[in-house]
Amino acid sequence: MEENQSTQNQQHHLPPDKLQMNKPAPYGTSSSKRAFCTFLTIFLLLIGVTLLVLWLVYRPHKPHFTVVGVAVYGLNTTSPPLLSATLQFNVRIKNPNRRVSVYYDRFSAFVSYKNQAITPQVMLPPLFLEKHSQVSLSPVLGGTAVPVSVEVSNGLMVDEAYGVVGLKLVFLGRLRWKAGAIKTAHYGFYGKCDVLIGLKKGFVGQVPLLGNPPCNIDI
C-alpha cells in the first residue's frame, strides 16, 4: 500500500509537460499521416506515368539532312599553305516528327577535307520546321583563302587528277523542340555529311554526286 501511494504521489508531482508526453498519441493523428503518405505516393506515381506516356508519344526524332547536289565554283591549291575554295551545296533538311516542330536558332556550316576546314565557317539563317515537313538549303561556302597543311594541298591535287574528291559538309548549331505550347531548352547539334564528287582540275559548275549517304546528326 505504501509503495502504491508513493508511486501515485510521484506521478502527481511530475511536471505537466512530462505528463503530456506519457499520454499515447491520438489515433486520428497517426491515421491522417498514413493517409497523407498514401496520397502523396499515388500522386507521384500518377505524375511519373503521365510523364512517361508524354515522352513516348512526343519524344523527338533527330532531323534528317541529305546532300542532293554540289557545285564547285573555285578550288585553288597552287598557293600553299593557303587554299581557296568556293562550293555550293544543295541540302534537304527533314523533320520526321509528326507531333513536334523544330527551331534552328543558331546554324552554321563549313567544308572540310581530311578533317581540316577548307572554307571559313558561315552563319546560316535561322530555320523553323513544322511537324513532318522539309526544306531545302543552298548555301555558298568559301571564297576566302584559309591556311591548310601540305597533306591537304597535295591530297586535293592528287584527287583532282584522279577525278574523285571526298569532302565533308559540317553543320553546327543549337535547336529547340516544340510540342503544342511547350518549347524545350536549347540542344547543341553537330552534323557531318560525307560526299564523293566527280571533279577534274579546272572544272567549274555542277558536279556529279558519286556517293551521298545520309548525314550523321548528333544532338
Side-chain angles (χ1 to χ4, degrees), residues 32-54:
S32 299
K33 288 182 178 179
R34 284 199 301 269
F36 176 75
C37 290
T38 302
F39 168 78
L40 184 61
T41 302
I42 294 174
F43 179 71
L44 293 176
L45 284 174
L46 288 175
I47 289 179
V49 171
T50 302
L51 291 176
L52 177 61
V53 171
L54 288 175

Side-chain angles (χ1 to χ4, degrees), residues 167-181:
L167 300 174
K168 183 180 294 182
L169 176 61
V170 180
F171 290 100
L172 299 170
R174 292 165 64 84
L175 60 78
R176 291 176 295 161
W177 311 104
K178 181 178 181 292

Side-chain angles (χ1 to χ4, degrees), residues 4 10 32 34 57 70 81 83 101 115 130 143 145 161 188 196 204 206-207 209 216 219:
N4 292 338
Q10 289 178 1
S32 299
R34 284 199 301 269
V57 172
V70 181
L83 182 148
S101 304
N115 294 322
E130 289 282 0
L196 278 177
V204 174
Q206 195 80 20
V207 295
L209 271 176
N216 184 23
I219 297 177

Side-chain angles (χ1 to χ4, degrees), residues 155-165 197-201 210:
L156 278 172
M157 286 190 289
V158 170
D159 288 350
E160 279 186 298
Y162 184 68
V164 178
V165 178
I197 60 174
L199 178 64
K200 285 290 188 179
K201 186 173 180 61
L210 306 178

Side-chain angles (χ1 to χ4, degrees), residues 130-197:
E130 289 282 0
K131 308 165 189 174
H132 206 251
S133 63
Q134 67 179 26
V135 65
S136 292
L137 292 181
S138 298
V140 177
L141 306 176
T144 303
V146 295
V148 297
S149 66
V150 175
E151 178 189 5
V152 168
S153 296
N154 293 340
L156 278 172
M157 286 190 289
V158 170
D159 288 350
E160 279 186 298
Y162 184 68
V164 178
V165 178
L167 300 174
K168 183 180 294 182
L169 176 61
V170 180
F171 290 100
L172 299 170
R174 292 165 64 84
L175 60 78
R176 291 176 295 161
W177 311 104
K178 181 178 181 292
I182 300 174
K183 294 179 183 178
T184 68
H186 285 96
Y187 291 88
F189 80 93
Y190 170 78
K192 55 182 181 180
C193 309
D194 293 304
V195 295
L196 278 177
I197 60 174

